[in-house]
Amino acid sequence: MEDVARVAGVSHQTVSRVLNNHPNVSSKTRERVEQAITELGYRRNTAARSLVTRRSQTIGVLGSEMAQYGPSHTLLGVQQAARDAGYFVSVAGLREVTPETIKDAIAHFMDQGVDGIVVTVPHPGTFDVLRDITAHVPLVAVGSLGDEYLSGATVDQREGARLAVQHLLSLGHQRIGHLSGPSDWIDAAARIDGWQEALTKAGLEPATLIEGDWSAECGYREGLKIAADRSVTALFVANDQMALGVLRAFNETGVQVPADVSVVGFDDQPESAYFIPPLTTVAQDFEELGQRCIGLLLDRLENGTPVSAATVTPRLVIRSTTAPVSG
């Protein structure tokens, strides 16, 4: 820093302010310092800095099921928000989710000296395990509203499901089935609850509930069965990948979407706008989820605020797979 200060013609305190994005630095001074940093190839010594600040500037992120769209994009959102806040991210992915693997991963993070931990494991038992862990750093559980021990950040999955069903109800549909995700997933269970609540509120009996596995193959397989029995006029599908499989099954069996059956997905993955027909779906803002999650963690870390929760509201994206009920 002394070398950078000498080349830039400023004090080392000014160099420190530039490195830490302090607002009280003029644009010309900031430009001179940044040019000196580039010329000298300066890199701050993070090990030395952590000795002074007692911070590693690292956040541990524990995740599983990373092949799935939701968990993988939640991780990306958290990583981006952490980087924007000036933190490095250390990721531990679990192949198998058990109390032992969760505890081992948390212990690994503590050995690394992380400043906080974000947990994105989408299974209910995860939070019970976290409550029994003394980590001595802030913890945020994604997919949970937390409790008195644990902060939580989540997308309102129930509200997303209600948006989907209410849209179909507004089009006159009354026989609205649901192809859900695996029942041991927090988000899948919440979407089932939202589907049931919306139908019950409308005075309808929730009937056709099929448990899926998130895959397009599953959507195709179950879509063939639905096409054969024609028990529904609309189908709320718990993610866009399964909806893709459903659309193919309907196409192959002559079921027209949306003339015969309306379909709504969930996630709004980028390809959904290019399905045939383009898919009506529920969008989750993973970038905002990541920002809210890191915000909760840093509030506890830097300001000592108590545990709290953050909820991100989903939105309905209407495209071409939904229409008024025929007949």
PDB file of all heavy atoms in Angstrom, residues 116-139:
ATOM      1  N   GLY A 116     -19.464 -16.175   8.066  1.00  0.00           N
ATOM      2  CA  GLY A 116     -20.864 -16.544   8.156  1.00  0.00           C
ATOM      3  C   GLY A 116     -21.148 -17.704   7.227  1.00  0.00           C
ATOM      4  O   GLY A 116     -20.319 -18.042   6.374  1.00  0.00           O
ATOM      5  N   ILE A 117     -22.312 -18.336   7.401  1.00  0.00           N
ATOM      6  CA  ILE A 117     -22.655 -19.526   6.621  1.00  0.00           C
ATOM      7  C   ILE A 117     -24.081 -19.408   6.089  1.00  0.00           C
ATOM      8  O   ILE A 117     -25.011 -19.053   6.824  1.00  0.00           O
ATOM      9  CB  ILE A 117     -22.525 -20.813   7.466  1.00  0.00           C
ATOM     10  CG1 ILE A 117     -21.085 -20.980   7.957  1.00  0.00           C
ATOM     11  CG2 ILE A 117     -22.956 -22.047   6.666  1.00  0.00           C
ATOM     12  CD1 ILE A 117     -20.908 -22.106   8.963  1.00  0.00           C
ATOM     13  N   VAL A 118     -24.229 -19.704   4.803  1.00  0.00           N
ATOM     14  CA  VAL A 118     -25.543 -19.774   4.162  1.00  0.00           C
ATOM     15  C   VAL A 118     -25.819 -21.230   3.818  1.00  0.00           C
ATOM     16  O   VAL A 118     -24.965 -21.906   3.233  1.00  0.00           O
ATOM     17  CB  VAL A 118     -25.581 -18.919   2.879  1.00  0.00           C
ATOM     18  CG1 VAL A 118     -26.915 -19.088   2.159  1.00  0.00           C
ATOM     19  CG2 VAL A 118     -25.337 -17.453   3.211  1.00  0.00           C
ATOM     20  N   VAL A 119     -26.993 -21.707   4.175  1.00  0.00           N
ATOM     21  CA  VAL A 119     -27.347 -23.104   3.931  1.00  0.00           C
ATOM     22  C   VAL A 119     -28.502 -23.153   2.939  1.00  0.00           C
ATOM     23  O   VAL A 119     -29.565 -22.577   3.179  1.00  0.00           O
ATOM     24  CB  VAL A 119     -27.742 -23.821   5.241  1.00  0.00           C
ATOM     25  CG1 VAL A 119     -28.108 -25.276   4.968  1.00  0.00           C
ATOM     26  CG2 VAL A 119     -26.592 -23.750   6.239  1.00  0.00           C
ATOM     27  N   THR A 120     -28.281 -23.839   1.796  1.00  0.00           N
ATOM     28  CA  THR A 120     -29.299 -23.898   0.736  1.00  0.00           C
ATOM     29  C   THR A 120     -29.762 -25.342   0.502  1.00  0.00           C
ATOM     30  O   THR A 120     -30.103 -25.710  -0.612  1.00  0.00           O
ATOM     31  CB  THR A 120     -28.759 -23.305  -0.579  1.00  0.00           C
ATOM     32  OG1 THR A 120     -27.678 -24.123  -1.062  1.00  0.00           O
ATOM     33  CG2 THR A 120     -28.266 -21.887  -0.378  1.00  0.00           C
ATOM     34  N   VAL A 121     -29.757 -26.150   1.532  1.00  0.00           N
ATOM     35  CA  VAL A 121     -30.181 -27.551   1.420  1.00  0.00           C
ATOM     36  C   VAL A 121     -31.701 -27.607   1.529  1.00  0.00           C
ATOM     37  O   VAL A 121     -32.262 -27.216   2.560  1.00  0.00           O
ATOM     38  CB  VAL A 121     -29.526 -28.415   2.516  1.00  0.00           C
ATOM     39  CG1 VAL A 121     -29.978 -29.864   2.396  1.00  0.00           C
ATOM     40  CG2 VAL A 121     -28.006 -28.318   2.429  1.00  0.00           C
ATOM     41  N   PRO A 122     -32.420 -28.097   0.489  1.00  0.00           N
ATOM     42  CA  PRO A 122     -33.872 -27.907   0.410  1.00  0.00           C
ATOM     43  C   PRO A 122     -34.713 -28.983   1.102  1.00  0.00           C
ATOM     44  O   PRO A 122     -35.802 -29.307   0.633  1.00  0.00           O
ATOM     45  CB  PRO A 122     -34.119 -27.930  -1.103  1.00  0.00           C
ATOM     46  CG  PRO A 122     -33.101 -28.890  -1.624  1.00  0.00           C
ATOM     47  CD  PRO A 122     -31.875 -28.679  -0.757  1.00  0.00           C
ATOM     48  N   HIS A 123     -34.230 -29.534   2.206  1.00  0.00           N
ATOM     49  CA  HIS A 123     -34.972 -30.588   2.894  1.00  0.00           C
ATOM     50  C   HIS A 123     -35.294 -30.161   4.325  1.00  0.00           C
ATOM     51  O   HIS A 123     -34.438 -29.567   5.004  1.00  0.00           O
ATOM     52  CB  HIS A 123     -34.178 -31.888   2.898  1.00  0.00           C
ATOM     53  CG  HIS A 123     -33.820 -32.373   1.520  1.00  0.00           C
ATOM     54  ND1 HIS A 123     -34.751 -32.872   0.647  1.00  0.00           N
ATOM     55  CD2 HIS A 123     -32.642 -32.396   0.855  1.00  0.00           C
ATOM     56  CE1 HIS A 123     -34.161 -33.194  -0.497  1.00  0.00           C
ATOM     57  NE2 HIS A 123     -32.880 -32.909  -0.389  1.00  0.00           N
ATOM     58  N   PRO A 124     -36.498 -30.442   4.825  1.00  0.00           N
ATOM     59  CA  PRO A 124     -36.942 -29.933   6.129  1.00  0.00           C
ATOM     60  C   PRO A 124     -36.027 -30.299   7.291  1.00  0.00           C
ATOM     61  O   PRO A 124     -35.807 -29.493   8.187  1.00  0.00           O
ATOM     62  CB  PRO A 124     -38.328 -30.567   6.296  1.00  0.00           C
ATOM     63  CG  PRO A 124     -38.782 -30.889   4.923  1.00  0.00           C
ATOM     64  CD  PRO A 124     -37.555 -31.237   4.155  1.00  0.00           C
ATOM     65  N   GLY A 125     -35.484 -31.507   7.308  1.00  0.00           N
ATOM     66  CA  GLY A 125     -34.662 -31.943   8.428  1.00  0.00           C
ATOM     67  C   GLY A 125     -33.397 -31.135   8.604  1.00  0.00           C
ATOM     68  O   GLY A 125     -32.796 -31.138   9.684  1.00  0.00           O
ATOM     69  N   THR A 126     -32.994 -30.415   7.546  1.00  0.00           N
ATOM     70  CA  THR A 126     -31.775 -29.609   7.611  1.00  0.00           C
ATOM     71  C   THR A 126     -31.843 -28.595   8.736  1.00  0.00           C
ATOM     72  O   THR A 126     -30.881 -28.396   9.488  1.00  0.00           O
ATOM     73  CB  THR A 126     -31.554 -28.864   6.283  1.00  0.00           C
ATOM     74  OG1 THR A 126     -31.498 -29.811   5.227  1.00  0.00           O
ATOM     75  CG2 THR A 126     -30.271 -28.050   6.315  1.00  0.00           C
ATOM     76  N   PHE A 127     -32.993 -27.941   8.902  1.00  0.00           N
ATOM     77  CA  PHE A 127     -33.105 -26.863   9.872  1.00  0.00           C
ATOM     78  C   PHE A 127     -33.067 -27.393  11.310  1.00  0.00           C
ATOM     79  O   PHE A 127     -32.574 -26.716  12.211  1.00  0.00           O
ATOM     80  CB  PHE A 127     -34.374 -26.056   9.612  1.00  0.00           C
ATOM     81  CG  PHE A 127     -34.450 -25.579   8.185  1.00  0.00           C
ATOM     82  CD1 PHE A 127     -35.565 -25.823   7.409  1.00  0.00           C
ATOM     83  CD2 PHE A 127     -33.385 -24.920   7.600  1.00  0.00           C
ATOM     84  CE1 PHE A 127     -35.625 -25.396   6.098  1.00  0.00           C
ATOM     85  CE2 PHE A 127     -33.429 -24.490   6.284  1.00  0.00           C
ATOM     86  CZ  PHE A 127     -34.556 -24.736   5.526  1.00  0.00           C
ATOM     87  N   ASP A 128     -33.582 -28.603  11.514  1.00  0.00           N
ATOM     88  CA  ASP A 128     -33.479 -29.212  12.835  1.00  0.00           C
ATOM     89  C   ASP A 128     -32.021 -29.451  13.210  1.00  0.00           C
ATOM     90  O   ASP A 128     -31.611 -29.248  14.352  1.00  0.00           O
ATOM     91  CB  ASP A 128     -34.254 -30.540  12.874  1.00  0.00           C
ATOM     92  CG  ASP A 128     -35.747 -30.334  12.675  1.00  0.00           C
ATOM     93  OD1 ASP A 128     -36.253 -29.267  13.070  1.00  0.00           O
ATOM     94  OD2 ASP A 128     -36.401 -31.235  12.116  1.00  0.00           O
ATOM     95  N   VAL A 129     -31.231 -29.875  12.221  1.00  0.00           N
ATOM     96  CA  VAL A 129     -29.804 -30.101  12.460  1.00  0.00           C
ATOM     97  C   VAL A 129     -29.102 -28.790  12.775  1.00  0.00           C
ATOM     98  O   VAL A 129     -28.281 -28.704  13.704  1.00  0.00           O
ATOM     99  CB  VAL A 129     -29.141 -30.790  11.246  1.00  0.00           C
ATOM    100  CG1 VAL A 129     -27.643 -30.951  11.473  1.00  0.00           C
ATOM    101  CG2 VAL A 129     -29.781 -32.141  10.965  1.00  0.00           C
ATOM    102  N   LEU A 130     -29.422 -27.740  12.017  1.00  0.00           N
ATOM    103  CA  LEU A 130     -28.757 -26.448  12.212  1.00  0.00           C
ATOM    104  C   LEU A 130     -29.022 -25.875  13.592  1.00  0.00           C
ATOM    105  O   LEU A 130     -28.160 -25.215  14.182  1.00  0.00           O
ATOM    106  CB  LEU A 130     -29.222 -25.449  11.144  1.00  0.00           C
ATOM    107  CG  LEU A 130     -28.833 -25.772   9.696  1.00  0.00           C
ATOM    108  CD1 LEU A 130     -29.410 -24.716   8.756  1.00  0.00           C
ATOM    109  CD2 LEU A 130     -27.323 -25.843   9.537  1.00  0.00           C
ATOM    110  N   ARG A 131     -30.206 -26.114  14.130  1.00  0.00           N
ATOM    111  CA  ARG A 131     -30.534 -25.589  15.460  1.00  0.00           C
ATOM    112  C   ARG A 131     -29.686 -26.231  16.550  1.00  0.00           C
ATOM    113  O   ARG A 131     -29.515 -25.658  17.629  1.00  0.00           O
ATOM    114  CB  ARG A 131     -32.019 -25.802  15.749  1.00  0.00           C
ATOM    115  CG  ARG A 131     -32.942 -24.977  14.855  1.00  0.00           C
ATOM    116  CD  ARG A 131     -34.393 -25.128  15.236  1.00  0.00           C
ATOM    117  NE  ARG A 131     -35.255 -24.490  14.250  1.00  0.00           N
ATOM    118  CZ  ARG A 131     -35.911 -25.134  13.291  1.00  0.00           C
ATOM    119  NH1 ARG A 131     -35.797 -26.447  13.196  1.00  0.00           N
ATOM    120  NH2 ARG A 131     -36.668 -24.482  12.437  1.00  0.00           N
ATOM    121  N   ASP A 132     -29.165 -27.411  16.269  1.00  0.00           N
ATOM    122  CA  ASP A 132     -28.344 -28.116  17.265  1.00  0.00           C
ATOM    123  C   ASP A 132     -26.860 -27.808  17.132  1.00  0.00           C
ATOM    124  O   ASP A 132     -26.038 -28.346  17.863  1.00  0.00           O
ATOM    125  CB  ASP A 132     -28.543 -29.634  17.122  1.00  0.00           C
ATOM    126  CG  ASP A 132     -29.953 -30.065  17.503  1.00  0.00           C
ATOM    127  OD1 ASP A 132     -30.585 -29.339  18.306  1.00  0.00           O
ATOM    128  OD2 ASP A 132     -30.418 -31.095  16.991  1.00  0.00           O
ATOM    129  N   ILE A 133     -26.513 -26.940  16.157  1.00  0.00           N
ATOM    130  CA  ILE A 133     -25.100 -26.641  15.898  1.00  0.00           C
ATOM    131  C   ILE A 133     -24.737 -25.292  16.504  1.00  0.00           C
ATOM    132  O   ILE A 133     -25.453 -24.306  16.336  1.00  0.00           O
ATOM    133  CB  ILE A 133     -24.817 -26.620  14.383  1.00  0.00           C
ATOM    134  CG1 ILE A 133     -24.963 -28.035  13.804  1.00  0.00           C
ATOM    135  CG2 ILE A 133     -23.422 -26.081  14.104  1.00  0.00           C
ATOM    136  CD1 ILE A 133     -24.818 -28.089  12.304  1.00  0.00           C
ATOM    137  N   THR A 134     -23.625 -25.269  17.239  1.00  0.00           N
ATOM    138  CA  THR A 134     -23.086 -24.016  17.751  1.00  0.00           C
ATOM    139  C   THR A 134     -21.953 -23.592  16.833  1.00  0.00           C
ATOM    140  O   THR A 134     -20.832 -24.096  16.925  1.00  0.00           O
ATOM    141  CB  THR A 134     -22.568 -24.174  19.190  1.00  0.00           C
ATOM    142  OG1 THR A 134     -23.624 -24.675  20.009  1.00  0.00           O
ATOM    143  CG2 THR A 134     -22.097 -22.835  19.741  1.00  0.00           C
ATOM    144  N   ALA A 135     -22.246 -22.667  15.916  1.00  0.00           N
ATOM    145  CA  ALA A 135     -21.270 -22.312  14.893  1.00  0.00           C
ATOM    146  C   ALA A 135     -20.457 -21.067  15.244  1.00  0.00           C
ATOM    147  O   ALA A 135     -19.395 -20.842  14.677  1.00  0.00           O
ATOM    148  CB  ALA A 135     -21.976 -22.095  13.554  1.00  0.00           C
ATOM    149  N   HIS A 136     -20.954 -20.222  16.169  1.00  0.00           N
ATOM    150  CA  HIS A 136     -20.269 -18.992  16.573  1.00  0.00           C
ATOM    151  C   HIS A 136     -20.133 -17.984  15.437  1.00  0.00           C
ATOM    152  O   HIS A 136     -19.353 -17.037  15.541  1.00  0.00           O
ATOM    153  CB  HIS A 136     -18.891 -19.298  17.170  1.00  0.00           C
ATOM    154  CG  HIS A 136     -18.935 -20.200  18.361  1.00  0.00           C
ATOM    155  ND1 HIS A 136     -19.556 -19.850  19.542  1.00  0.00           N
ATOM    156  CD2 HIS A 136     -18.447 -21.453  18.534  1.00  0.00           C
ATOM    157  CE1 HIS A 136     -19.446 -20.846  20.413  1.00  0.00           C
ATOM    158  NE2 HIS A 136     -18.791 -21.825  19.826  1.00  0.00           N
ATOM    159  N   VAL A 137     -20.844 -18.187  14.337  1.00  0.00           N
ATOM    160  CA  VAL A 137     -20.936 -17.210  13.256  1.00  0.00           C
ATOM    161  C   VAL A 137     -22.396 -17.158  12.819  1.00  0.00           C
ATOM    162  O   VAL A 137     -23.157 -18.107  13.060  1.00  0.00           O
ATOM    163  CB  VAL A 137     -20.035 -17.579  12.042  1.00  0.00           C
ATOM    164  CG1 VAL A 137     -18.570 -17.590  12.447  1.00  0.00           C
ATOM    165  CG2 VAL A 137     -20.452 -18.904  11.411  1.00  0.00           C
ATOM    166  N   PRO A 138     -22.820 -16.082  12.165  1.00  0.00           N
ATOM    167  CA  PRO A 138     -24.216 -16.009  11.715  1.00  0.00           C
ATOM    168  C   PRO A 138     -24.539 -17.109  10.702  1.00  0.00           C
ATOM    169  O   PRO A 138     -23.730 -17.431   9.832  1.00  0.00           O
ATOM    170  CB  PRO A 138     -24.303 -14.626  11.059  1.00  0.00           C
ATOM    171  CG  PRO A 138     -23.177 -13.842  11.630  1.00  0.00           C
ATOM    172  CD  PRO A 138     -22.086 -14.833  11.889  1.00  0.00           C
ATOM    173  N   LEU A 139     -25.742 -17.659  10.830  1.00  0.00           N
ATOM    174  CA  LEU A 139     -26.254 -18.665   9.900  1.00  0.00           C
ATOM    175  C   LEU A 139     -27.528 -18.135   9.251  1.00  0.00           C
ATOM    176  O   LEU A 139     -28.368 -17.548   9.933  1.00  0.00           O
ATOM    177  CB  LEU A 139     -26.577 -19.975  10.614  1.00  0.00           C
ATOM    178  CG  LEU A 139     -25.439 -20.825  11.172  1.00  0.00           C
ATOM    179  CD1 LEU A 139     -26.000 -21.992  11.966  1.00  0.00           C
ATOM    180  CD2 LEU A 139     -24.575 -21.341  10.046  1.00  0.00           C
TER     181      LEU A 139
END
